[in-house]
Amino acid sequence: MTSLFDPAQHPHRRRNPLTGEWILVSPHRMLRPWQGQTESELRPSLPRYEPDCYLCPGNERAGGLTNPVYDHTFVFTNDFAALQTDTPDGETRSSRFFHSQAENGVCRVICFSPRHDLTLARMGRPAIRRVVDLWAEQAAELGLDPNIGYVQLFENRGAIMGSSNPHPHGQVWATRRLPTEPAKEDREQRVYFKRYGASMLLDYVEVELSERTRIVLANESWVALVPFWAVWPFETLVLPRRHVTQLADLTPLERDALADMLKRLLTRYDNLFATSFPYSMGWHAAPTDEGDHLHWQLHAHFYPPLLRSATVKKFMVGYEMLAAPQRDLTAEQAADQLRLASEVHFEDV
Ligand code: H2U
Ligand code: ZN
């Protein structure tokens, strides 16, 4: 007996138009009832100030420098920077196998709050707005440097994501060359813009707003959705509703709306498994080299590793490492669960 292909129940591949890559979706494995445990793993309660924390105000960092007694946010050059500004440019190609290119740039650490015990999800909207402003400032300042072609802002949240310290912080790495992931997005957005004369992600957000099945939440300036091609179980894409290429181009109202969106999205994430939800997130903005970037649309990716509970994560192993990413839970089911999650934080109820 043959039946018609139904992506809601049959294994299928979905194409990521931002990278051109495919992922395998196996929804039939989810037709079984919800089996995962959902025990919560409460964070050990943290002090507002931790004398041994290298990010808390007034404390000493590795290398002997002392943090100022900052009130809101604080940025410093990473004491163990992966990139340096004074690396001479150059390239070596000594055989068909040994090709290297010099890379130079800047690595900074961005403290989101003086409070050791907070996370973005637990900060107030005005404090999150200051983080938005800081992201925009950092991207603009580094992007102006003629030696910087791309600025990557990101946050590793939670020990499971390799974060070295619970103090709320992110990083910025800025490089001369365009790294692998944004290079794929640059290529695919350029192809789309040439073919359709419009921004891919701006067109995409309109289609998603009319379909609604993958939307998690929206406000006047922003939309958060589980992309059709999501790889991580509760992956989301945060998109502006107008054409924007750089964070610095956001208006004050759009920055407030972004703070609102982040507060609500991250609260839903925490509530999903009653835990301080781990993730890696980051902004993808247009490259900062000379040249035309009209095809670009600013956006943020959130890649959380959790699958079923505070302690059960999705492993990207075997088939994923060797063939292609695979998921059971569909993007639509993940969006349903995030839509059902409350915007009142579980620690407040
Ligand atoms: P995570 O975002 O992965 O936690 O990294 C924090 C960064 O802080 C890490 O890149 C830097 C590390 O190099 N760091 C300092 O710059 N100074 C210190 O005193 C400790 C850690
Ligand atoms: Zn601290």
Side-chain angles (χ1 to χ4, degrees), residues 54 61-62 76 78-80 109 156 162-165 169 171:
Y54 58 81
R61 300 201 306 272
F76 63 90
N78 197 310
D79 299 306
F80 306 94
V109 178
N156 294 323
S163 179
S164 59
N165 185 334
H169 70 283
Q171 300 191 42

Side-chain angles (χ1 to χ4, degrees), residues 30-273:
M30 286 303 298
L31 292 181
R32 64 204 158 137
W34 184 254
Q35 291 173 329
Q37 294 151 291
T38 50
E39 86 272 27
S40 73
E41 195 181 63
L42 290 177
R43 284 218 300 172
S45 72
L46 295 168
R48 294 164 71 105
Y49 166 78
E50 164 58 57
D52 290 331
C53 170
Y54 58 81
L55 299 177
C56 274
N59 287 0
E60 196 177 315
R61 300 201 306 272
L65 290 168
T66 298
N67 297 329
V69 183
Y70 60 99
D71 291 323
H72 303 291
T73 57
F74 169 54
V75 183
F76 63 90
T77 298
N78 197 310
D79 299 306
F80 306 94
L83 298 149
Q84 294 168 329
T85 47
D86 52 3
T87 307
D89 196 22
E91 191 157 351
T92 64
R93 201 192 289 250
S94 59
S95 87
R96 67 176 82 146
F97 301 111
F98 305 131
H99 184 186
S100 54
Q101 290 181 326
E103 184 57 289
N104 70 4
V106 177
C107 297
R108 294 177 180 160
V109 178
I110 297 178
C111 299
F112 295 159
S113 163
R115 288 266 304 266
H116 187 79
D117 58 330
L118 293 183
T119 62
L120 275 178
R122 303 300 283 143
M123 285 162 56
R125 284 171 174 76
I128 301 174
R129 164 67 198 267
R130 286 179 192 272
V131 175
V132 171
D133 286 340
L134 187 70
W135 280 334
E137 267 166 45
Q138 288 293 310
E141 182 212 308
L142 290 162
L144 272 181
D145 184 334
N147 291 317
I148 297 296
Y150 181 74
V151 180
Q152 183 60 59
L153 287 154
F154 64 97
E155 177 191 7
N156 294 323
R157 167 102 273 285
I160 199 174
M161 293 309 290
S163 179
S164 59
N165 185 334
H167 194 114
H169 70 283
Q171 300 191 42
V172 55
W173 292 25
T175 49
R176 182 196 299 274
R177 296 187 169 86
L178 191 57
T180 311
E181 293 303 316
K184 292 178 205 164
E185 297 192 353
D186 185 55
R187 183 189 66 219
E188 296 300 323
Q189 288 180 100
R190 190 187 298 278
V191 167
Y192 184 97
F193 192 79
K194 264 204 184 132
R195 184 172 301 166
Y196 301 106
S199 149
M200 175 198 287
L201 289 177
L202 206 53
D203 281 359
Y204 177 62
V205 84
E206 287 309 319
V207 175
E208 288 290 20
L209 281 169
S210 60
E211 283 215 8
R212 307 238 53 112
T213 48
R214 284 170 293 273
I215 304 286
V216 176
L217 70 153
N219 62 22
E220 64 277 24
S221 308
W222 297 89
V223 176
L225 53 83
V226 181
F228 177 74
W229 53 86
V231 165
W232 293 95
F234 294 95
E235 175 176 338
T236 53
L237 192 57
V238 172
L239 293 161
R241 300 177 77 155
R242 71 169 178 100
H243 185 224
V244 182
T245 59
Q246 296 291 349
L247 279 163
D249 296 336
L250 297 173
T251 66
L253 279 176
E254 287 168 337
R255 294 174 186 216
D256 281 341
L258 177 56
D260 169 72
M261 155 102 1
L262 292 173
K263 176 77 183 173
R264 294 165 59 197
L265 176 65
L266 297 179
T267 302
R268 283 169 184 265
Y269 268 156
D270 280 8
N271 284 339
L272 195 59
F273 301 129

